[in-house]
């Protein structure tokens, strides 16, 4: 699929609101590869969004799913819920029910086997070899998000076609099996290129065409951008999130909002609760959902998970197709400049 796209840019899935059929279609129509987020959706909602996306474009696009994990220890979730009591009281809302569920995993896989798409990607872990074989059987490529050589080995063993190499700079959730802070993107690309022959898609902190050029030079087949698309008019990004992306600030990795490590813009909730938050996804995600929904409705940024990569100050308010075209032009310019610099240096001089 990567070889067939004229622009080496992939739209990161952006689950949780920003992903829309309109954004997915616009990116694919511009020559890149759009992705539709399947995370947090029911199988019925995913099927509906697939129908809308296909109505908007005949170009290829992909769908991303969350691999379900294991239930957390309830005593840790209960302790965290107690630590959130004051925040919830001041916000005037009740905390949610911290249930464990599998994100409608089997039903969404059934949708994608019945209505195949060119690419299905996975985050939060690696699907089984049987699942990969089933998707291959209906003509879908399988991409798996990894953050280490060990995760790359697991994905390759399962039969993955492409590895999405996520650097620690990335906004949103850590996408591999393990949700530790991870390795910087350029370091990760070098390690994976030495470890596997599978094609690599680089993601994490890429906001400009120059950064796309950099990861292509480092061995990636394409670059996946997420934060860069959050302010496109086609995105479903909440207004409070859009405003935060245009204010100065810093990012940090936290489990405070969902129980899984994710990078977002620092706010009061992140700073106050990160130290207490357990590794408990999706239980914490459901626990804090009413707080986050209230924050978005009221425009209170200090209650909202403001997912963003480290280069978020470079975000541009452009239609998705125009953004793809600009990034592509910038990447070509940067690659020509790099080649010119290499040519200026001439061949290496032999030592006497």
């Amino acid at each position: 699929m990567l070889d067939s796209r004229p622009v080496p840019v992939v739209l990161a899935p952006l689950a949780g609101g920003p992903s829309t059929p309109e954004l997915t279609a616009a990116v694919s129509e511009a020559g890149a590869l759009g992705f539709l987020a399947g995370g947090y959706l029911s199988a019925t909602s995913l099927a509906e969004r697939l129908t809308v996306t296909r109505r908007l474009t005949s170009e290829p696009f992909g769908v991303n799913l969350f691999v379900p994990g294991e239930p957390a220890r309830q005593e840790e979730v209960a302790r965290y819920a107690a630590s959130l009591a004051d925040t919830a009281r001041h916000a005037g809302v009740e905390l949610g029910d911290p249930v464990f569920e599998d994100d409608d995993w089997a039903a969404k896989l059934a949708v994608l086997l019945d209505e195949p798409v060119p690419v299905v990607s996975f985050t939060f872990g690696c699907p089984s070899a049987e699942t990969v074989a089933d998707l291959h059987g209906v003509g879908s490529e399988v991409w798996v998000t990894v953050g280490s050589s060990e995760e790359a080995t697991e994905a390759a063993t399962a039969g993955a076609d492409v590895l999405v190499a996520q650097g620690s700079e990335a906004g949103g959730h850590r996408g591999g099996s393990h949700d530790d802070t991870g390795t910087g993107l350029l370091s990760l690309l070098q390690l994976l290129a030495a470890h596997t022959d599978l094609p690599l898609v680089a993601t994490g902190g890429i906001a400009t065409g120059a950064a796309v050029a950099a990861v292509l030079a480092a061995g990636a087949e394409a670059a996946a951008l997420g934060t860069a698309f959050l302010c496109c008019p086609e995105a479903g990004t909440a207004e409070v999130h859009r405003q935060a992306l245009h204010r100065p600030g810093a990012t940090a990795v936290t489990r405070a909002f969902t129980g899984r490590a994710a990078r977002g813009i620092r706010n009061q909730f992140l700073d106050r609760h990160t130290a207490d938050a357990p590794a408990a996804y999706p239980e914490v995600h459901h626990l804090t959902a009413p707080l986050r929904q209230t924050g978005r409705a009221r425009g209170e940024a200090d209650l909202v998970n403001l997912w963003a990569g480290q280069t978020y100050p470079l975000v541009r308010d452009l239609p998705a197709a125009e953004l793809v075209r600009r990034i592509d032009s910038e990447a070509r310019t940067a690659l020509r400049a790099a080649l010119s610099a290499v040519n200026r240096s001439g061949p290496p001089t032999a030592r006497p």
Side-chain angles (χ1 to χ4, degrees), residues 39 213 284 301:
V284 171

Side-chain angles (χ1 to χ4, degrees), residues 167-193:
S168 58
E169 305 93 330
H173 287 105
R174 308 301 88 191
S177 301
H178 306 288
D179 72 341
D180 53 16
T181 301
T183 303
L185 181 56
L186 284 177
S187 296
L188 180 61
L189 283 174
Q190 294 173 79
L191 292 169
L192 293 181

Side-chain angles (χ1 to χ4, degrees), residues 139-236:
S140 298
E141 283 187 7
V142 173
W143 297 10
V144 177
T145 307
V146 301
S148 68
S149 296
E150 292 75 18
E151 291 177 350
T153 297
E154 181 185 11
T157 300
D161 302 291
V162 173
L163 303 178
V164 181
Q166 185 193 51
S168 58
E169 305 93 330
H173 287 105
R174 308 301 88 191
S177 301
H178 306 288
D179 72 341
D180 53 16
T181 301
T183 303
L185 181 56
L186 284 177
S187 296
L188 180 61
L189 283 174
Q190 294 173 79
L191 292 169
L192 293 181
H195 182 77
T196 180
D197 292 328
L198 287 176
L200 304 174
V201 172
T203 190
I206 303 173
T208 64
V212 173
V215 298
L216 294 178
E221 297 285 337
L225 288 69
T227 304
F229 286 96
L230 286 177
C231 287
C232 293
E234 300 92 340

Side-chain angles (χ1 to χ4, degrees), residues 103-176:
D103 202 43
D104 216 8
W105 167 255
K108 284 191 282 197
L109 279 175
V111 168
L112 295 175
L113 292 173
D114 187 52
E115 304 178 41
V117 293
V119 181
V120 180
S121 71
F122 295 91
T123 54
F124 297 176
C126 181
S128 68
E130 180 182 5
T131 296
V132 174
D134 288 343
L135 289 166
H136 283 165
V138 296
S140 298
E141 283 187 7
V142 173
W143 297 10
V144 177
T145 307
V146 301
S148 68
S149 296
E150 292 75 18
E151 291 177 350
T153 297
E154 181 185 11
T157 300
D161 302 291
V162 173
L163 303 178
V164 181
Q166 185 193 51
S168 58
E169 305 93 330
H173 287 105
R174 308 301 88 191

Side-chain angles (χ1 to χ4, degrees), residues 179-316:
D179 72 341
D180 53 16
T181 301
T183 303
L185 181 56
L186 284 177
S187 296
L188 180 61
L189 283 174
Q190 294 173 79
L191 292 169
L192 293 181
H195 182 77
T196 180
D197 292 328
L198 287 176
L200 304 174
V201 172
T203 190
I206 303 173
T208 64
V212 173
V215 298
L216 294 178
E221 297 285 337
L225 288 69
T227 304
F229 286 96
L230 286 177
C231 287
C232 293
E234 300 92 340
T237 312
E239 183 60 30
V240 67
H241 195 171
R242 291 176 186 265
Q243 292 175 6
L245 290 164
H246 290 298
R247 291 195 296 267
T251 67
V253 175
T254 184
R255 291 192 177 97
F257 293 101
T258 68
R260 186 173 179 90
R263 182 177 296 281
I265 300 170
R266 289 180 58 183
N267 59 10
Q268 288 183 16
F269 191 97
L270 186 153
D271 288 341
R272 181 176 181 181
H273 296 295
T274 293
D276 296 327
Y281 179 88
E283 291 91 341
V284 171
H285 163 73
H286 292 300
L287 184 70
T288 68
L291 285 167
R292 292 180 280 119
Q293 291 165 358
T294 297
R296 285 190 287 269
R298 296 177 184 170
E300 297 180 14
D302 281 318
L303 293 176
V304 179
N305 53 312
L306 305 169
W307 297 153
Q310 288 182 332
T311 56
Y312 84 85
L314 302 177
V315 70
R316 291 175 266 192

